[in-house]
Every structure is written in C-alpha cells, then in structure tokens.
Amino acid sequence: MNNSDLAQILIRAVEEADSSDRLLDAVQELAAAGIEESVPTLIAALGYNNPGAAVAAVDGLIAIGEVAVPPLLELIDDYNYGARAWAIRALAGIGDVRALDTLFEAAKTDFSLSVRRAAARGLGTLRWHQVPPEKVESVQTQVLEALLLISQDPEWVVRYAAVTSLETLAIAIAVTLPEQASQITNQLQQMLDTDVDLGVRTRVKFAQEKIQQQQHQEQHQEQHQEIFAPKIKLQNTEVPEVPHRGGGRR
C-alpha cells in the first residue's frame, strides 16, 4: 500500500468517525502517518469541538512542516476563534518565516494567553535560512522589538515564552548584530531584577547562562584561530631552496 492509498483510508476514518473517541483515534492515526495529503483534513480537525483531536492535528501539521503553511495562512482569517488559536500553535511549531506577521499579531494582541505564549515561542524557532540574506538583519531586528514588548506581558507564561525566544535570538545575532544582542542581555537582567514571578526569573538565569556559554565558545574559537593561523600560514609558505655550501667545491 502506498502513501496515497493509506492517506485515503485514514482520511475516510476521520470523516466517518461517529463519536468523540473514534474521532480522536482517527485524527491521531492520520497525524502519526505524516502524509502531505492529510494536511487539509488535519486543518479541518482544528475546528472540531474536540481538543484532543486538535492537539493531535497540530502535532501532525508540525511534523509535516512547511507544506502545511500556505493552507494554514490562507484559511486562518476564516476560522472560528478556537480553530484559529490551534492554527497559530501549528504555525509557531513549524517556525516558517511566512507566518511571521501572523505570529507578531498574535503574540502582541491576542486575548488568549495560551495563544500569545505559543506565538512568542514561535518567534524563537524561526528558520532564518528561509530569509533572503539581505533581509535577515532587518527581520531579526523586527523580531527583537516584538519580543522586548512581549516580555512585558501581564501573564507570566507569556513572559516565560518570550525569555526562551530572546535566548535563541541572542545566540543567533551575537556576531552579526552585537548592539541588538546587548539589548537582549540588558532586558534579561532587568527581568531578573524586577519580574515578580519566580519561574520567569529562574528561566532568565538559565537563558543568561546559555548565552554566556555561547559567548565563551565563540571567544575560545577566535583565540584558537589566532594561535594556529600563523602556523598554518607558515606551513603554506614556500621556503626557497638554500644552495649546498659545498656544492661548488672541486
């Protein structure tokens, strides 16, 4: 049986499910198969009044990845709120930069703290290789500005998610955007000093340690290159042949 035949069988099981339990089982099996043809059905499952099936559908869409992004973005404005929230979770998990504007809006303005949290985490898992090289720095700056704002969210779980994304962003831009990276370290220190939630402060300390570890690794690599560069250069330099002193004797 090929993937297409399997997909049709699993999709039919979802469509014919006549109870919440059977629907959950069918969506879980479809999601686990990881077949591209299942994307429309998994997206439809986001709108069912079945949280377990929605969770399974989100996991399946994340596993399938980039091909799920266009249909999610095309339909997101037409969803009921519940389905839209699940769709944002899926987009955040995939980390495709095409969802950037949607994640920005959700992280900043959505009334659901769980959606804001998912969107904030999604801003830290973006796949930077998808951004044209000439636009990477400007997009990273946009993400930083959004995360600095989100890190002041009234809900601690959203601030916690913002910290995780600030950590990954700091590591990503440490060399290319040092000024922006220092903004992150300053913001993290401010949160460590002032945030009222112990969980957030603990996560900040962990982020600071990870960023410092990365900085030390980069400094070590630079020192290593400086030490060995002269030796490598010397090895690659051609040494002129020295004539034998006794070569001219008769």
Side-chain angles (χ1 to χ4, degrees), residues 148-162:
L148 291 176
L149 177 64
I150 298 161
S151 66
Q152 302 172 50
D153 192 280
E155 297 290 345
W156 76 267
V157 292
V158 181
R159 299 196 303 277
Y160 188 103

Side-chain angles (χ1 to χ4, degrees), residues 67-86:
V67 297
V69 172
L72 279 167
L73 290 175
E74 285 173 14
L75 298 174
I76 201 164
D77 290 333
D78 297 330
Y79 289 165
N80 60 54
Y81 176 76
R84 185 174 184 275
W86 290 115

Side-chain angles (χ1 to χ4, degrees), residues 238-244:
E238 292 185 5
V239 179
E241 185 178 346
V242 179
H244 193 282

Side-chain angles (χ1 to χ4, degrees), residues 53-127:
V55 169
V58 168
D59 290 343
L61 291 166
I62 291 172
I64 291 170
E66 295 178 10
V67 297
V69 172
L72 279 167
L73 290 175
E74 285 173 14
L75 298 174
I76 201 164
D77 290 333
D78 297 330
Y79 289 165
N80 60 54
Y81 176 76
R84 185 174 184 275
W86 290 115
I88 289 169
R89 288 184 177 89
L91 290 168
I94 294 170
D96 193 293
V97 295
R98 289 172 291 181
L100 189 58
D101 290 341
T102 299
L103 294 178
F104 275 153
E105 180 186 357
K108 292 177 182 179
T109 65
D110 200 282
F111 70 85
S112 166
L113 67 88
S114 62
V115 172
R116 296 201 305 279
R117 176 182 61 182
R121 287 182 65 86
L123 292 174
T125 58
L126 292 169
R127 301 178 181 181

